[in-house]
Amino acid sequence: MLSIGRVAHAQNYYQPAEYSYQEVRYALYKAAQTGNAQNLQQILSLGYPVDMPDQYGDSPLCQAVWEKNRTAFLILEAFNANTAHSCMNNIPEKYKSAMMPSAPMAAARASEGIIVSSPEIGTPTWVWATLGGAAVLGGAGGIALAVAGGGGDDKPISCEPGYVLVRGICQIQDGSTNQTLPSVFKTDEYYANAGFTTPLTDPAGTMLDRIGAANAYARFGTQTGGTSTNPTFTWNLKPVTVAVLDGGIFTNHMELAGLVDPVATSGPADILDFHGTAVASLIGGKWDNIGMHGIAPNIEKIIDWQWVNTTDSVNYQTTSNLNKVINAGAQIFNMSIGNGSSYHVGDRNQIVFGTTTLFDLNFNSSTTAYTSFYQSVLRSIHDNNIITVLAAGNDGWNQPQLFAAAPLMPDFRPGGQYDLTNLFIVAAAANLDGTAANNYADSTLADYSNKCGDTKGYCLTAPVGDFGISPDDVIYSAWFVDPVLGHTYGPFPGTSAAAPVISGVAAFLQGAYPYISPQNVVQIMFDTASGMDTCFGKTGATCTDDTFGRGMVNLDRATQPLGTLTMASGTSASGDQEGFVGTRLTLPRSFSASLTAALPKDIIVLDKYTRPFSVSMAGLVNSTRRPQDGFENTYRTFMHQPVQTIKANDKMTLSFSQSKDDRRRSDFGSLDLSYNLSENNQMRFSYRADMKTDGTPHMDRVFANPFAGMREAYGLSNKQRLGDVEMTFGLTTGKNGFFDGDRNLEYEHKQSMNVVSGEIAYQPASFIKMKMLGGFLNEDGSVLGLNGGGAFDVKTTQTYFMGGSMTVQPTENWTITGSYHYGYSNPGQVNSFLNLGRLLSDSFAVDTRVKMDKNRLLGLQVSSPLRIVKGRAAFDLPLERDLQEDRIHRGRYTADLKPEQREYNIGLYYMEEREDLTFRGEIGTRLNPDHIDAKPEHRALLGVGWKW
């Protein structure tokens, strides 16, 4: 936990701003993919549909099916995602059956092959479908079987102690995904505000639940002792002082003992008037597991200003007492007092008793001394930035009491000399007739409560109840101390109760965010008030602001972020910021293990009021590849389509193969158009759906340039022969293939890469062939697959590479080939949060094969894919926002990007090709898959194809 001087509020978030549909759909899927149901709920609560499609029409649920991510599928399904969405029609049954194995569709089609293209007669066509743990490939011209074991770190989800696995999500026992449980705060004392008759057993209509108090408490409080029924808490809140302008407080009541400072009281408390005691207890009654507790646990002092007293004749409404209260540090005035008025505040500006003017809001010189005093109070509120909450009154009128109109008067309206904007709140009372079943949403204004009327712009309601509904539907408060009855409690309805509820929320927020102005605290309360959009759950009803003002005060919503979220790039909360929309860091799995281990668990983002909200780094960092992608890539290359060649004339040749990937929009896996400019000079145009899997036989893929792994790639090259030397110069552009396994990155973000390369092939003897390769790779928004977005946006980077291969043929039927590639990348300062040092990378492969006869081939390969051999990443991240100052505390972290292990692929293969039959077989092992210390992956692939 952080010290009281700093704060980084631990809560999930989602930015309540306008996004593009792609950003929303991306966020929906990522929330489900990472098992963050609360983030998903936050996004949906903003009004976005769970089936938000991307530009291809795929919903987040369809993407979960494409990605074979059952956890994400189950989470989205639990949030009512449409499993019959139109995008499902484009997904092969093999994918859908993996998500919904019990569905009739999956059972009926479990043994079918899915034909992805119509074969041309005489052309082997390969298709595939899943069967349990194996994959069956088949079609008009062939069938193959592939099985895999091991699985890297693809382990079953396990949960920490105290958490249970529910539909793929680790949750607290009560279903909450918060690590600080709101339920911990829901003690009998918390539920005492449910009502009067059964205050400790009936949670329905609990005032604290209606304003979302427990959720807010979980963000700022921690249980540090006690038991589940008698807990004690520590709070990350700054103490606050509230002045209760009322009829006196029983300072020895157990709920208030030691809290009350009678600074402005010189007369006795009125034992017949429990009013002030009830008000004070609702604001700051002690959390002692006795009776009830107030809203704000951070109340340090309650100033008892006996504004009205009926026991003696002393007048406490004096400028002297006003100054005492201000000097005592009052930050909030609670005024559950006032003079009623049936007049429309816009038409009548005076309170008149008989023929005597008691109060004139225009402060005319002809009025009594009350005018001067009230004027001093209002001016002091302005001069000292004191939040003031005034009860609307209990007359059942269409307008609140006349004093509520003070901010509408010339001197105190917006732009006036003593502008009270966002310092003055009128409190109206709402009923407590909600139920747990409807989430306490059903509400109306209490029959007795004056409406907001002309003060609707700065009026809030609070759920305090009405005796006219039921005795249960009235909140519970401290009353008085009696020699016989002792410390008493009882019902306390009225706008007099609504005011301290709102004052308590204001006090909590001032303690939570002491660095923002009181005006901002009030504006947050206005912006987050609830109920007006749904009319408090009343079907067919219409809510008007003349009645409810800004709506019902909501502490839960007030402690959630507002506006555009940002990340501070310096040490000042009000300094330079980077937008947080779309912030993520996507890494190859070989990077992610060491990097995530070196990063902090949480960082902070700031909302429009520079309030900090904690964000899990685990939710921002994800891998470009899942554990099973290594096998799937091997599987696809193993089933490479035969290349067909059409020779138009002596100069032009067309070669092509069909695509194997049923997620592709193109039917072509590869396409080559060659044109001979001369006998020794050839131009070639090429297309590859996936340069890692298409157009080249699987056994030769290990020798390909690892820095040119693109998707949807187009190339132009020129090859010239000079004697025994053959030189090729080429340019290739396409989508970044380092994002293999992340369909969002492949299709939505469309990061591109370009490769310029030159190759020299030389054959010094008949049994030796050598190749040298060099060039550079230009990646858009990535470096070797490390990709960022938002505040972690990675700029365009370059990688310079070189490599070579040699083939030796000791005998006519025995061939040995080895290759090595090496790269140098220097991204430097990516942005203010991330610096990447020099990256060195390499890969190698060795193959030996024996041609048993003209139709049969046996071979052995050992290879290691591209790996960082040297490189570091330095992060400068915001960790905390100072509770007292405009200061951001930052942390610097360095991670070694060199993987903990090196992956080795060992494979033994056999091929047999006859005129009308092809057979392929391979057994292999991936040691340290994806360069991480994980269990080996074992694979066995068999395939057969035929022509007709």
Side-chain angles (χ1 to χ4, degrees), residues 869-905:
V869 294
K870 184 176 181 181
R872 301 177 72 83
F875 289 83
D876 184 3
L877 302 171
L879 303 181
E880 303 169 4
R881 194 234 194 267
D882 199 286
L883 197 64
Q884 309 291 339
E885 305 172 0
D886 178 26
R887 184 180 177 188
I888 296 293
H889 298 274
R890 309 185 68 84
R892 291 176 172 81
Y893 303 86
T894 301
D896 189 349
L897 296 180
K898 180 181 178 181
E900 54 193 6
Q901 297 291 338
R902 176 146 210 157
E903 175 183 335
Y904 297 95
N905 292 328

Side-chain angles (χ1 to χ4, degrees), residues 495-569:
T495 59
S496 288
V501 169
I502 294 170
S503 293
V505 171
F508 187 98
L509 296 177
Q510 282 198 299
Y513 314 115
Y515 40 80
I516 65 176
S517 69
Q519 289 89 342
N520 281 343
V521 168
V522 174
Q523 187 61 54
I524 289 170
M525 294 170 68
F526 288 157
D527 289 345
T528 57
S530 61
M532 294 298 287
D533 51 346
T534 62
C535 198
F536 303 94
K538 291 288 188 182
T539 303
T542 301
C543 283
T544 63
D545 50 8
D546 287 339
T547 299
F548 296 98
R550 305 296 287 264
M552 185 178 292
V553 66
N554 191 311
L555 184 56
D556 179 19
R557 291 175 58 168
T559 51
Q560 296 185 44
L562 293 170
T564 301
L565 294 179
T566 59
M567 281 178 62
S569 56

Side-chain angles (χ1 to χ4, degrees), residues 33-177:
Q33 186 188 49
T34 56
N36 197 327
Q38 188 169 9
N39 274 12
L40 187 61
Q41 180 61 58
Q42 280 278 25
I43 303 168
L44 299 178
S45 70
L46 301 175
Y48 295 114
V50 70
D51 293 311
M52 175 73 78
D54 61 13
Q55 68 268 46
Y56 299 110
D58 283 350
S59 70
L61 188 78
C62 286
Q63 181 178 348
V65 179
W66 277 119
E67 294 287 349
K68 304 175 188 174
N69 191 320
R70 184 160 173 75
T71 297
F73 179 90
L74 290 174
I75 294 171
L76 290 162
E77 185 184 35
F79 280 87
N80 300 315
N82 184 8
T83 57
H85 192 278
S86 58
C87 59
M88 283 288 192
N89 298 330
N90 301 321
I91 302 177
E93 301 298 338
K94 66 177 184 292
Y95 287 98
K96 291 186 281 191
S97 62
M99 295 296 105
M100 301 174 285
S102 61
M105 172 189 65
R109 301 188 179 182
S111 62
E112 292 185 12
I114 312 302
I115 297 178
V116 296
S117 63
S118 300
E120 181 181 344
I121 294 177
T123 303
T125 300
W126 302 86
V127 295
W128 59 298
T130 57
L131 278 177
V136 172
L137 296 88
I143 188 168
L145 172 68
V147 293
D153 59 351
D154 190 19
K155 302 173 182 177
I157 299 174
S158 60
C159 299
E160 297 177 2
Y163 290 71
V164 294
L165 187 65
V166 181
R167 305 201 74 177
I169 313 170
C170 288
Q171 297 184 354
I172 303 295
Q173 294 285 348
D174 70 349
S176 170
T177 54

Side-chain angles (χ1 to χ4, degrees), residues 789-855:
F792 290 145
D793 186 27
V794 178
K795 308 303 180 184
T796 299
T797 60
Q798 286 78 40
T799 296
Y800 300 91
F801 59 83
M802 61 183 298
S805 67
M806 177 180 291
T807 300
V808 179
Q809 194 170 11
T811 68
E812 182 179 356
N813 295 320
W814 179 24
T815 304
I816 302 173
T817 303
S819 69
Y820 179 78
H821 292 86
Y822 179 86
Y824 166 84
S825 310
N826 190 14
Q829 186 73 38
V830 175
N831 52 47
S832 57
F833 306 100
L834 173 62
N835 185 297
L836 293 173
R838 181 178 58 180
L839 304 179
L840 305 180
S841 54
D842 72 354
S843 69
F844 70 83
V846 177
D847 175 278
T848 180
R849 60 185 68 174
V850 175
K851 194 171 184 181
M852 303 171 68
D853 56 40
K854 67 175 184 178
N855 297 319

Side-chain angles (χ1 to χ4, degrees), residues 239-243 261 263 300-301 303 323-333 386 510:
V240 171
T241 297
V242 177
D261 179 3
V263 65
E300 180 181 46
K301 182 168 60 176
I303 300 172
N323 291 334
K324 288 181 181 179
V325 171
I326 292 173
N327 292 334
Q331 296 164 268
I332 298 172
F333 282 176
I386 299 172
Q510 282 198 299

Side-chain angles (χ1 to χ4, degrees), residues 95-294:
Y95 287 98
K96 291 186 281 191
S97 62
M99 295 296 105
M100 301 174 285
S102 61
M105 172 189 65
R109 301 188 179 182
S111 62
E112 292 185 12
I114 312 302
I115 297 178
V116 296
S117 63
S118 300
E120 181 181 344
I121 294 177
T123 303
T125 300
W126 302 86
V127 295
W128 59 298
T130 57
L131 278 177
V136 172
L137 296 88
I143 188 168
L145 172 68
V147 293
D153 59 351
D154 190 19
K155 302 173 182 177
I157 299 174
S158 60
C159 299
E160 297 177 2
Y163 290 71
V164 294
L165 187 65
V166 181
R167 305 201 74 177
I169 313 170
C170 288
Q171 297 184 354
I172 303 295
Q173 294 285 348
D174 70 349
S176 170
T177 54
N178 285 337
Q179 292 186 10
T180 305
L181 290 178
S183 60
V184 171
F185 300 88
K186 295 187 178 183
T187 62
D188 287 346
E189 191 180 18
Y190 178 95
Y191 281 131
N193 274 312
F196 173 53
T197 306
T198 55
L200 302 183
T201 59
D202 180 16
T206 303
M207 178 271 290
L208 291 171
D209 261 354
R210 291 290 300 278
I211 65 172
N215 290 338
Y217 296 157
R219 296 175 183 126
F220 295 88
T222 303
Q223 183 180 359
T224 52
T227 65
S228 59
T229 58
N230 189 25
T232 57
F233 305 105
T234 58
W235 299 93
N236 198 26
L237 298 164
K238 184 179 178 181
V240 171
T241 297
V242 177
V244 174
L245 286 61
D246 216 284
I249 299 173
F250 286 90
T251 60
N252 60 338
H253 196 289
M254 66 176 66
E255 293 294 343
L256 300 168
L259 287 178
V260 180
D261 179 3
V263 65
T265 302
S266 56
D270 184 355
I271 197 168
L272 300 178
D273 184 6
F274 65 91
H275 194 277
T277 307
V279 166
S281 70
L282 287 174
I283 296 172
K286 288 187 175 180
W287 293 52
D288 53 9
N289 297 294
I290 299 173
M292 49 76 69
H293 68 69

Side-chain angles (χ1 to χ4, degrees), residues 608-681:
K608 64 184 289 187
Y609 295 105
T610 72
R611 298 183 298 170
F613 294 88
S614 183
V615 178
S616 169
M617 279 300 296
L620 300 179
V621 179
N622 56 85
S623 175
T624 61
R625 290 182 61 179
R626 304 160 300 171
Q628 66 266 35
D629 286 326
F631 171 70
E632 290 187 3
N633 289 335
T634 301
Y635 178 40
R636 287 198 294 268
T637 56
F638 175 79
M639 294 307 300
H640 76 274
Q641 298 286 1
V643 176
Q644 300 183 69
T645 301
I646 301 175
K647 191 168 184 179
N649 51 50
D650 292 339
K651 291 184 176 292
M652 185 178 295
T653 303
L654 176 66
S655 301
F656 63 92
S657 66
Q658 292 178 327
S659 173
K660 301 177 303 301
D661 190 344
D662 44 23
R663 294 182 297 176
R664 294 290 151 200
R665 308 294 171 177
S666 170
D667 289 333
F668 288 107
S670 65
L671 179 66
D672 292 282
L673 178 63
S674 303
Y675 186 82
N676 296 323
L677 298 174
S678 67
E679 182 179 357
N680 295 316
N681 192 341

